[in-house]
Amino acid sequence: MYNRVILAEKPAMGTDIAQALGLKSKGRHYHTLTNGDVVTWAIGHVIQQKEPDSYPEYKEWKLENLPFIPDPVLTEVDPDKKDQVKAIRELVSKAKCVVIATDAGREGEHIARLTLQECNYPVNEPGRALRLWLSDLTPETIQKAYANMKDARHYDNLAASAQVRANADFWMGITATRFFSIMVKDISKEAATLSAGRVQTPTLRIVYDREMAIQNFVPQPFYVLVSEFQTTNGNYPGQWFKENAEGKAVYRFDTKEKADEIRKKVQGQQGSVIQYTEKSVKRSAPLLLHETSVKSEARKQLGFSLQKTKKVLQEVYEKKFCSYPRTNSRHLSENAADELLERLTKLQKTSKYQEYFPETLESIKGKTRFVDNKKVGEHHAIVPTDRNPEDFKNDEKYKLTADEEKLYELILRHTLAAFHPEGVDKETEVITSVAGESFISKAVIVVTDGWRKISKPQQDPNDSIEDESKADQLGNVKKIPQLREGQAATAAKIETHTGKTSKPRRMYDSDLQEAMEHAGRHVDEQTTDEEIMEYLKAGIGTPATRSDIINTLVRQKYIEIEKNLVYLTDKGKHFIELIYDHPIASIELTGEFEKKLNDVAEGKQSAAALLDEFKSFARNILSMKEKLQQQIEAKLKDNKKLSLFSNIEEVGTCPLCGKPVIEGSKGYGCSAWKEGCKFTIWKEFRKVKLREKQIKNLLEGEEILVKDIPPSEEGKSAYDVFLSLKDGQLQTRFPTVEDRSLGDCPVCKKPVIEKEKTYGCSGYKEGCKFAVWKEYRKVELPVKAIKALLAGKEVILENVPPSGEGKQPYDIYLYLKDGQLQTRFPTVEDHSIGDCPLCKKPVVEKEKTYSCSGYKDGCKFTLWKVFRKAEVPTKAAKALLSGKEVLLQNIPPSDEGKKPYDVYLYLKDGQLQTRFPTTEDNSIGACPLCSKPVVESETYYGCSSWRQSGCKFKLSKEFLGVKITLGQFKKIIKNGKTDKLTGFKGGKTGSFDTALGYDKVQNRYSFVK
């Protein structure tokens, strides 16, 4: 009899718990503790729902068999995990008490309850079951949680919620999938499985809405006015604006005529500063991480996909370097905040990331942005543990991989940002009035970096969204002079900027998961009940299931994810258009169901009542039969593609009937097979798989070579064969000698072909004995080398093994002469990088120098490989020897405090000479005002003669939020404009695209139509 049997979710978790509580011995199915208790484990979902076909009344896919609502839902042991379930059953049958130690959440509770139910264990009897609730897997956390366990009955509502969710998703998913699939097959005759579900279908609708917004977007032109104001204290720019009837600021004109009218009215007029404010603004560190935000940050900062982050994050957790990852909270409880401070204090002493820690670690309790008991659910935010990766870098089990280390560093840095001071900025805002029109100017100066020293500011999805109009302003400047209200200001220059609205941005996979979490943003608040909007704050899906839902959409071929970007497929588009208005695609209803599942978990609603609601919903899925039939028929009428629901791509044209050839599961066949065309090419030819490109080549009339076909009889060799199409039939021929030729025989001019051990003449039967062995002096001769030799070229063989011990490998040249393989050792000329400027003999590379090969004859020409601590590469040495100058950049200064410098090198009379770069060297073009050289500085492109002649040509490297590259600047000067640039800041969409030019009269950038 065991006092306690501890049930973990996975073997690794079971081992961690056993080690923390006192491991005595390990076993295959369970571990024994020093006190005699045992730790066993499930292997994820060891109990699964039976397949729908297991129910006789639902086995056939017919409308008469719907809705699919078996009650009870039958379960079975996963056949691959029977041995583990048998071991668990034997252990718990001898247990006084079972400790449920699966993942601390709804799904973990469900796994444990189903497993114990299968084992007939009385969980609900007093004292027979306890719950171990873990936030991470460090020994200290496990020991502390083990000392504070609650009776498992305390979590009965959570278990009930999990059971309701499992049943509901089963009923609704099977009912909807079969209903839609049957309807499409009956009407279109297309056998496609149209998977649907309570969460996956509303998620697909979110993707569809974004895709349609992108496809249907029509750019609209707009115009903004920016004026340069002159005052006695200095100049500053300002952007025109006015308040509309709703009190919102408007910054744009719909037509150029309206903009020009105001421009003419204001140009040259004197106005005044009517408002001047300066204020200090504190910038808080971003909220702590939860599952969605860590995936978003990993995508932005590390380029990780959603699935990659999920996998890597789970590994970091299981190796005990971070807290529980499947959390929807971005806050800590006060107790967790105390624990975090202790852990970080311990970690700081040995962490290699010292630069991220503040000088003094102080508690963040009291900062409600990070610590709020009310905002912590089952789990708090994702934070690091006190485990230092450096301590485990030689431990095969716990050392972090390169990707895991990157994600760990991201979590650590993000967490530590909360312990740094707030950033402080000085914001200056000016409103200038001229001729009754208003202009706004803003400047932000960083006073204190604070947490921004260690973490780049990111838009926080939980922060309140600022007034949309703020993103519309072009009047943001780096600096505004000190002004006073009432001060005179003249509109010296005023210009009209033209732009176009930008289409919506395509979602990343992490954006889609975030959209699921914040589903309320995707519904119309004006037409949605306030109570439902409150429900939607919980989002759709859970932190544990959202990425799996997205993966399901990919697997069902509704969406594709390329380079982390989400694309809607034809199948996904046609399907969601059919059911867009059906309740199963409703974001609002799905959010409401999620909230009700939470209500069951919190004891606010009975599980039985919610199960009845889900049964009713499953029945109502069938209510749109007539409407769905009309929609399918209409789609078939308008469809121009081969299939509505199969994402079929044409591979080529059928050689028999001219219709498209498409890919099937086992071959490529004619799409007109229903009309009787039987053209097919199987994907496998004589046990060799054919690539799609080969099929396309065949359909275009080309021959393809299929290599290494397995022989039909033992003892024979693999062979090659050519395939082609003739009258729609596959034809074969064996390669001829000409096909296999590597070149002409130097003796008899017949083809040379590859044999088992040699490259030999195909005319050997006629007596030609030309052959070259495939291996020469223990070095393999590749086909490429033989082709070169047969073409009359020399071939260098490198690192030939020496014949005697103690000798060095050597290089040798091979060539053919009179049909015989000849050799020679490399000469000085072979190694030459150029001619000596003194004696014209070859210069060769040595260990530390480039030196003349005539040194034995007295020539002393030498170039050192290092010049003033800067490397002189071989390419540079070759250029110098050919008479060219070479620019050596970033040479370390000889004195501290000075900057690195550049210098030109050249040879004169065999001596190395230097000179510093001139203005002409640095010129990037001719000044459009005075034709003198234009040079590049750190922040602008400007005329080099501004001091001598006073030329004022100077253009910034950044204009309205867009960086102007050197190449783009050269285009502006040479051609008058760039290609289209993106990201100019302004407008309700936040940015616009346009070409940029140069206005010579005004000496400034100008937008180009």
Side-chain angles (χ1 to χ4, degrees):
M1 196 76 178
Y2 299 108
N3 184 35
R4 287 177 178 175
V5 171
I6 303 167
L7 176 62
E9 187 162 323
K10 293 179 181 178
M13 186 183 193
T15 300
D16 288 337
I17 292 171
Q19 289 174 338
L21 300 180
L23 176 63
K24 180 181 179 182
S25 62
K26 287 185 176 182
R28 182 181 174 190
H29 299 295
Y30 65 91
H31 299 328
T32 304
L33 303 184
T34 53
N35 64 0
D37 294 341
V38 295
V39 179
T40 188
W41 46 82
I43 308 171
H45 291 269
V46 291
I47 310 300
Q48 59 190 21
Q49 293 168 327
K50 283 193 173 183
E51 290 295 321
D53 292 351
S54 301
Y55 304 86
E57 66 272 33
Y58 296 114
K59 189 167 186 176
E60 290 189 64
W61 284 47
K62 298 193 299 185
L63 289 178
E64 300 82 56
N65 292 345
L66 299 178
F68 175 86
I69 45 176
D71 193 8
V73 172
L74 304 178
T75 59
E76 62 185 358
V77 177
D78 184 334
D80 295 332
K81 302 169 184 176
K82 281 184 177 180
D83 289 347
Q84 186 62 30
V85 174
K86 180 181 178 182
I88 295 171
R89 185 183 291 113
E90 290 177 358
L91 290 170
V92 300
S93 67
K94 302 172 184 176
K96 293 180 181 177
C97 175
V98 167
V99 174
I100 296 174
T102 46
D103 279 358
R106 189 167 72 186
E107 292 310 303
E109 196 70 26
H110 191 49
I111 288 171
R113 297 298 180 109
L114 281 180
T115 305
L116 294 174
Q117 178 182 306
E118 177 68 26
C119 298
N120 297 314
Y121 187 82
V123 174
N124 293 317
E125 286 185 13
R128 294 302 303 275
L130 296 171
R131 189 47 158 113
L132 178 63
W133 198 262
L134 298 172
S135 59
D136 61 56
L137 297 175
T138 60
E140 295 81 5
T141 298
I142 294 170
Q143 292 160 8
K144 188 173 181 180
Y146 195 71
N148 293 279
M149 292 188 291
K150 294 181 180 178
D151 192 295
R153 291 176 298 172
H154 181 78
Y155 298 89
D156 283 351
N157 289 331
L158 181 65
S161 170
Q163 186 63 61
V164 171
R165 198 275 311 157
N167 287 7
D169 286 349
F170 194 46
W171 294 336
M172 292 160 61
I174 300 300
T175 300
T177 297
R178 289 191 171 186
F179 173 62
F180 298 134
S181 302
I182 291 167
M183 289 291 292
V184 164
K185 186 176 182 180
D186 287 349
I187 299 164
S188 73
K189 309 306 177 186
E190 188 173 346
T193 300
L194 299 177
S195 174
R198 181 180 62 87
V199 179
Q200 67 161 294
T201 311
T203 304
L204 180 60
R205 179 171 163 173
I206 291 172
V207 176
Y208 174 83
D209 287 342
R210 177 61 64 90
E211 192 73 37
M212 291 305 100
I214 293 171
Q215 290 184 15
N216 298 329
F217 175 78
V218 178
Q220 298 295 324
F222 64 85
Y223 308 86
V224 294
L225 289 178
V226 176
S227 175
E228 180 78 12
F229 290 105
Q230 290 182 346
T231 73
T232 55
N233 292 37
N235 296 358
Y236 62 95
Q239 182 182 342
W240 175 91
F241 79 100
K242 73 171 184 178
E243 288 189 356
N244 61 17
E246 290 80 33
K248 291 185 177 180
V250 176
Y251 298 90
R252 296 178 173 182
F253 298 94
D254 296 330
T255 66
K256 190 173 187 299
E257 289 73 23
K258 290 180 183 178
D260 286 343
E261 181 184 335
I262 301 297
R263 180 176 59 79
K264 292 174 183 177
K265 175 183 176 183
V266 174
Q267 179 72 52
Q269 299 297 310
Q270 181 173 306
S272 62
V273 175
I274 62 172
Q275 180 183 313
Y276 178 85
T277 57
E278 286 185 2
K279 61 181 179 180
S280 179
V281 180
K282 292 182 178 180
R283 309 291 186 194
S284 297
L287 295 175
L288 299 173
L289 294 167
H290 63 345
E291 191 198 34
T292 302
S293 58
V294 78
K295 289 175 178 175
S296 178
E297 292 302 316
R299 192 263 305 164
K300 292 174 188 174
Q301 297 184 40
L302 307 176
F304 287 4
S305 68
L306 198 66
Q307 294 302 321
K308 180 174 181 176
T309 305
K310 178 183 177 182
K311 180 177 180 295
V312 174
L313 182 60
Q314 184 65 24
E315 288 295 321
V316 175
Y317 165 66
E318 290 185 359
K319 291 178 180 179
K320 309 176 192 176
F321 292 102
C322 76
S323 61
Y324 188 74
R326 293 188 290 279
T327 174
N328 59 3
S329 175
R330 304 194 69 171
H331 292 79
L332 300 173
S333 65
E334 291 187 352
N335 287 339
D338 288 336
E339 289 180 2
L340 178 61
L341 179 61
E342 291 175 12
R343 291 175 173 184
L344 291 176
T345 301
K346 176 183 174 183
L347 184 62
Q348 183 178 17
K349 296 175 182 177
T350 57
S351 175
K352 70 176 183 180
Y353 299 109
Q354 290 293 324
E355 70 270 26
Y356 298 150
F357 285 81
E359 290 183 11
T360 305
L361 273 169
E362 296 179 349
S363 176
I364 55 174
K365 278 204 309 189
K367 294 183 180 181
T368 55
R369 180 172 178 78
F370 309 113
V371 181
D372 190 334
N373 289 342
K374 294 177 182 178
K375 293 183 179 179
V376 177
E378 294 173 354
H379 297 283
H380 59 63
I382 302 171
V383 294
T385 64
D386 59 4
R387 178 172 279 212
N388 184 0
E390 285 295 292
D391 296 340
F392 296 88
K393 61 185 180 182
N394 296 319
D395 188 318
E396 288 301 318
K397 182 178 180 181
Y398 290 110
K399 71 177 180 182
L400 295 177
T401 65
D403 285 339
E404 290 162 6
E405 179 86 26
K406 289 176 185 176
L407 192 62
Y408 168 79
E409 181 186 348
L410 186 152
I411 294 168
L412 176 66
R413 180 161 39 81
H414 202 100
T415 302
L416 286 171
F419 289 81
H420 281 264
E422 295 170 315
V424 180
D425 295 341
K426 185 180 85 169
E427 285 189 359
T428 303
E429 183 175 292
V430 179
I431 296 179
T432 310
S433 178
V434 183
E437 302 296 332
S438 299
F439 292 78
I440 190 168
S441 311
K442 285 192 172 184
V444 178
I445 298 173
V446 175
V447 178
T448 306
D449 284 324
W451 61 272
R452 292 173 292 190
K453 284 183 179 178
I454 69 163
S455 183
K456 293 180 181 179
Q458 299 284 342
Q459 176 64 42
D460 191 311
N462 281 3
D463 283 350
S464 60
I465 299 174
E466 294 189 84
D467 187 341
E468 191 181 44
S469 64
K470 290 184 180 179
D472 210 13
Q473 297 170 21
L474 298 178
N476 293 336
V477 296
K478 290 185 177 179
K479 190 175 181 181
I480 294 174
Q482 187 75 34
L483 303 171
R484 65 181 186 281
E485 292 181 2
Q487 184 171 353
T490 301
K493 295 179 183 178
I494 184 166
E495 52 192 22
T496 304
H497 293 170
T498 306
K500 286 186 178 181
T501 53
S502 300
K503 63 183 177 183
R505 181 174 62 83
R506 184 168 295 281
M507 285 194 290
Y508 287 95
D509 49 8
S510 58
D511 294 334
L512 180 54
Q513 178 161 339
E514 190 174 309
M516 296 171 72
E517 182 183 358
H518 302 287
R521 298 176 184 173
H522 298 270
V523 299
D524 187 351
E525 293 187 28
Q526 304 299 318
T527 59
T528 305
D529 185 278
E530 285 186 13
E531 189 176 3
I532 294 179
M533 285 301 298
E534 185 64 28
Y535 290 161
L536 285 169
K537 288 183 180 178
I540 58 176
T542 67
T545 61
R546 287 177 187 133
S547 59
D548 291 334
I549 291 293
I550 294 171
N551 207 33
T552 298
L553 293 177
V554 173
R555 194 170 60 251
Q556 295 298 334
K557 298 185 178 179
Y558 290 144
I559 66 174
E560 293 175 345
I561 297 178
E562 294 180 13
K563 295 182 178 179
N564 300 343
L565 289 169
V566 180
Y567 296 85
L568 184 71
T569 65
D570 285 343
K571 179 182 181 181
K573 177 178 181 290
H574 292 144
F575 175 53
I576 199 66
E577 284 175 346
L578 283 182
I579 63 166
Y580 191 87
D581 295 322
H582 192 279
I584 200 165
S586 167
I587 297 170
E588 295 94 326
L589 192 61
T590 302
E592 181 180 350
F593 280 152
E594 289 288 355
K595 181 62 168 62
K596 290 183 177 182
L597 286 169
N598 288 336
D599 287 345
V600 170
E602 294 172 8
K604 298 177 182 177
Q605 181 173 350
S606 76
L610 187 54
L611 278 171
D612 287 340
E613 278 193 53
F614 281 125
K615 286 180 181 178
S616 297
F617 185 88
R619 295 186 185 100
N620 290 337
I621 287 174
L622 312 179
S623 64
M624 67 174 291
K625 181 179 176 182
E626 291 183 8
K627 183 179 179 182
L628 189 64
Q629 180 172 344
Q630 293 171 0
Q631 288 176 306
I632 296 171
E633 290 172 347
K635 274 199 163 293
L636 286 170
K637 201 174 191 181
D638 297 335
N639 183 43
K640 296 179 182 178
K641 293 205 170 187
L642 295 170
S643 167
L644 284 173
F645 303 106
S646 298
N647 294 327
I648 291 176
E649 296 292 335
E650 296 182 19
V651 179
T653 302
C654 176
L656 297 181
C657 69
K659 295 286 178 69
V661 172
I662 59 176
E663 183 180 1
S665 60
K666 294 184 178 180
Y668 299 87
C670 181
S671 57
W673 60 274
K674 290 181 181 179
E675 288 85 59
C677 185
K678 296 182 180 180
F679 174 75
T680 301
I681 301 176
W682 300 109
K683 287 184 176 180
E684 194 173 275
F685 177 80
R686 298 181 187 175
K687 299 182 181 180
V688 175
K689 288 184 179 180
L690 300 181
R691 302 187 306 276
E692 185 177 309
K693 188 176 186 303
Q694 291 177 304
I695 302 298
K696 288 181 177 179
N697 290 342
L698 282 171
L699 293 171
E700 289 172 1
E702 297 178 19
E703 276 191 324
I704 64 168
L705 179 63
V706 183
K707 293 184 174 183
D708 298 323
I709 297 173
S712 56
E713 298 178 18
E714 286 188 17
K716 292 190 175 182
S717 300
Y719 61 95
D720 303 341
V721 74
F722 277 98
L723 298 183
S724 60
L725 284 172
K726 184 178 181 182
D727 301 328
Q729 298 295 317
L730 212 55
Q731 306 291 317
T732 64
R733 72 172 180 84
F734 289 105
T736 64
V737 169
E738 286 71 19
D739 292 323
R740 296 165 58 195
S741 176
L742 303 175
D744 292 340
C745 172
V747 176
C748 70
K749 304 305 178 186
K750 290 190 176 179
V752 173
I753 59 176
E754 184 177 359
K755 299 181 180 180
E756 186 178 355
K757 295 183 179 181
T758 65
Y759 302 103
C761 180
S762 58
Y764 68 97
K765 290 183 178 180
E766 288 82 43
C768 184
K769 297 181 179 180
F770 174 77
V772 176
W773 292 94
K774 283 187 174 182
E775 188 178 279
Y776 182 81
R777 297 187 186 180
K778 299 182 182 179
V779 176
E780 184 182 350
L781 292 182
V783 170
K784 185 177 179 181
I786 296 301
K787 287 182 176 180
L789 288 169
L790 293 172
K793 297 178 182 178
E794 287 188 323
V795 171
I796 187 168
L797 217 58
E798 297 179 322
N799 294 315
V800 177
S803 56
E805 289 186 13
K807 294 186 178 181
Q808 296 293 320
Y810 59 94
D811 300 342
I812 197 168
Y813 276 94
L814 304 181
Y815 62 98
L816 289 171
K817 185 178 180 181
D818 300 330
Q820 298 295 317
L821 196 63
Q822 306 291 322
T823 65
R824 71 172 179 83
F825 288 104
T827 65
V828 170
E829 285 73 14
D830 292 320
H831 292 308
S832 175
I833 62 170
D835 291 341
C836 173
L838 297 179
C839 70
K840 305 305 179 185
K841 290 188 177 179
V843 172
V844 294
E845 183 175 354
K846 298 185 178 181
E847 186 179 356
K848 296 182 179 181
T849 65
Y850 305 103
S851 299
C852 180
S853 57
Y855 69 96
K856 290 183 178 179
D857 302 323
C859 185
K860 297 182 178 179
F861 174 77
T862 297
L863 284 175
W864 291 93
K865 285 188 173 181
V866 175
F867 178 81
R868 298 182 187 175
K869 299 182 181 178
E871 182 184 352
V872 180
T874 305
K875 185 177 179 181
K878 287 181 178 180
L880 287 168
L881 292 169
S882 66
K884 296 178 183 178
E885 286 189 323
V886 171
L887 179 63
L888 217 56
Q889 296 178 305
N890 295 315
I891 296 177
S894 55
D895 298 329
E896 287 188 15
K898 291 188 177 182
K899 293 182 179 179
Y901 60 95
D902 301 343
V903 73
Y904 275 96
L905 305 182
Y906 64 98
L907 289 171
K908 185 178 180 182
D909 299 329
Q911 297 296 315
L912 192 64
Q913 307 292 321
T914 64
R915 70 173 180 83
F916 289 105
T918 64
T919 300
E920 285 71 18
D921 292 320
N922 293 329
S923 176
I924 56 176
C927 173
L929 298 183
C930 70
S931 299
K932 294 288 176 68
V934 173
V935 294
E936 179 181 5
S937 77
E938 190 173 342
T939 59
Y940 65 86
Y941 306 107
C943 182
S944 60
S945 69
W946 62 276
R947 283 182 177 169
Q948 293 87 348
S949 64
C951 182
K952 294 183 178 180
F953 176 75
K954 182 175 168 181
L955 292 179
S956 173
K957 284 187 173 181
E958 184 173 313
F959 182 68
L960 303 180
V962 173
K963 290 183 178 178
I964 314 300
T965 66
L966 179 58
Q968 290 162 345
F969 173 79
K970 286 181 176 180
K971 277 189 177 182
I972 292 173
I973 299 304
K974 185 177 180 181
N975 304 322
K977 66 175 183 177
T978 63
D979 299 326
K980 185 176 78 171
L981 301 179
T982 61
F984 289 102
K985 293 182 180 176
K988 290 183 179 178
T989 59
S991 64
F992 61 94
D993 305 341
T994 186
L996 199 63
Y998 172 68
D999 184 336
K1000 190 171 182 178
V1001 176
Q1002 299 290 333
N1003 188 27
R1004 54 174 167 74
Y1005 289 120
S1006 62
F1007 289 111
V1008 179
K1009 292 184 180 179

